[in-house]
Amino acid sequence: MSAPKLAGAPISWGVCEVPGWGHLIEADTVLGEMAELGLTATELGPPEYLPTDPAKLRELLGGHGLSMIGGFLAVVLHDETVEQSTVDEAERTAALLAATGAEVLVLAAATGLDGYDERPALTDAEWATLIRVSGRIRDIAARHGLRTVLHPHVGTHVERGPEVARFLADSDLELCLDTGHLLIGGADPVELAREHADRIGHLHLKDVRADIAARVRDGELPYATAVGQGLYVPLGDGDVDIVGIVRFLRDAGYQGWYVLEQDTALAEGDADAAARPKQDTARSLDHLRPLFN
């Protein structure tokens, strides 16, 4: 069996696009710790965290022996009044990813509000716009040699099981199967993988505590607060059937990346917290690697 394609992501080190999320560890440290753990690839992280000049980004990644596999792009897809700025941002992101040898654009249907706690309902017309604009972005990315996958994500317009099913029915985009966000949204990631194995184009591996996830889903706990309270845990420590998902997708012929993502928020000035991302990612790798033996 060929070695699994394992990658890291800056969010596991607390690097997030949400304003005021927490302390940001400098990029050299994050990439260096990924390399020390034996990872050879990463996702891009939030806008402007890593260099936006392709040559400088390639130099930074190469200094740590890492390659770029793709990047997360959360943009407003449902609002025609901002459609041009949305596709312009997608064009810039796709061009940067392609220039670094990446493979995939990970798209999310942002609400346009700060954070991931409010989610206004869409009209049928807005939903139709979301489908159309996501198709435009798919075509933009394809011109740059990238695949586009839709990421069901907490606090976006494609989050919960019925929305995921509706998107799959209305769009031909593949999905980023994010095991944590799907569970938080009330979907069963194992069932989704089994029913739609042919639509899984990318994989974000997360583990979550179901008790805290239920409070987020019911609106009792803000998402960022829940992350700070330990919503996400190393693989194997939570309530997601990571073993079942990985084994099923592997046996179904999945050839894509397995991206380790443990959403983390770091308190300012907490030295112990700054050491936790590497430790937690190491534990996740220890849980994951035996599944490929």
Side-chain angles (χ1 to χ4, degrees):
M1 183 180 297
S2 60
K5 297 162 66 175
L6 302 178
I11 186 60
S12 296
W13 275 259
V15 181
C16 182
E17 71 280 356
V18 176
W21 182 262
H23 173 64
L24 292 184
I25 302 176
E26 64 177 19
D28 254 331
T29 299
V30 171
L31 299 178
E33 291 188 354
M34 286 186 189
E36 289 167 7
L37 291 170
L39 296 171
T40 58
T42 182
E43 286 196 359
L44 182 63
E48 299 185 2
Y49 175 66
L50 296 180
T52 56
D53 177 84
K56 292 180 180 178
L57 181 52
R58 288 193 298 267
E59 181 180 4
L60 177 61
L61 293 169
H64 295 285
L66 296 173
S67 62
M68 180 65 64
I69 63 168
F72 178 66
L73 178 65
V75 286
V76 174
L77 302 173
H78 66 278
D79 186 349
E80 290 182 334
T81 67
V82 298
E83 181 174 343
Q84 190 57 51
S85 62
T86 290
V87 297
D88 288 346
E89 184 173 355
E91 182 81 53
R92 289 191 297 271
T93 302
L96 176 61
L97 290 171
T100 59
E103 304 171 17
V104 61
L105 178 67
V106 183
L107 182 65
T111 62
L113 305 173
D114 286 340
Y116 293 111
D117 293 320
E118 296 182 65
R119 213 170 62 103
L122 295 184
T123 65
D124 286 344
E126 288 173 325
W127 178 265
T129 298
L130 184 154
I131 297 298
R132 180 176 57 78
V133 175
S134 64
R136 286 191 66 186
I137 292 174
R138 171 206 59 212
D139 294 343
I140 288 168
R143 290 198 293 271
H144 290 277
L146 302 173
R147 294 180 295 109
T148 300
V149 293
L150 191 283
H151 185 337
H153 192 291
V154 169
T156 69
H157 288 303
V158 183
E159 171 189 353
R160 306 206 170 189
E163 296 154 2
V164 175
R166 187 180 184 186
F167 187 86
L168 285 169
D170 292 348
S171 171
D172 62 0
L173 267 69
E174 293 182 317
L175 291 181
C176 170
L177 185 76
D178 186 300
T179 58
H181 283 282
L182 285 166
L183 187 73
I184 297 166
D188 182 344
V190 177
E191 181 180 347
L192 184 62
R194 290 185 181 278
E195 290 183 359
H196 300 286
D198 61 331
R199 298 289 297 274
I200 307 303
H202 197 53
L203 183 60
H204 284 175
L205 287 174
K206 292 184 173 74
D207 210 344
V208 300
R209 291 177 51 188
D211 56 338
I212 300 179
R215 295 181 64 198
V216 174
R217 187 163 56 248
D218 294 341
E220 297 176 11
L221 195 64
Y223 179 66
T225 302
V227 173
Q229 292 184 5
L231 171 63
Y232 295 98
V233 292
L235 300 183
D237 287 0
D239 295 293
V240 177
D241 184 6
I242 297 295
V243 172
I245 290 168
V246 170
R247 285 180 172 166
F248 174 78
L249 288 176
R250 179 197 61 190
D251 293 345
Y254 176 74
Q255 298 293 315
W257 287 92
Y258 297 80
V259 183
L260 280 76
E261 277 201 342
Q262 181 182 332
D263 290 22
T264 299
L266 301 177
E268 295 285 351
D270 187 342
D272 292 336
R276 192 175 70 243
K278 183 180 178 182
Q279 296 167 358
D280 284 356
T281 304
R283 289 179 59 194
S284 291
L285 283 166
D286 287 344
H287 182 75
L288 186 60
R289 282 182 171 132
L291 302 181
F292 296 95
N293 294 334

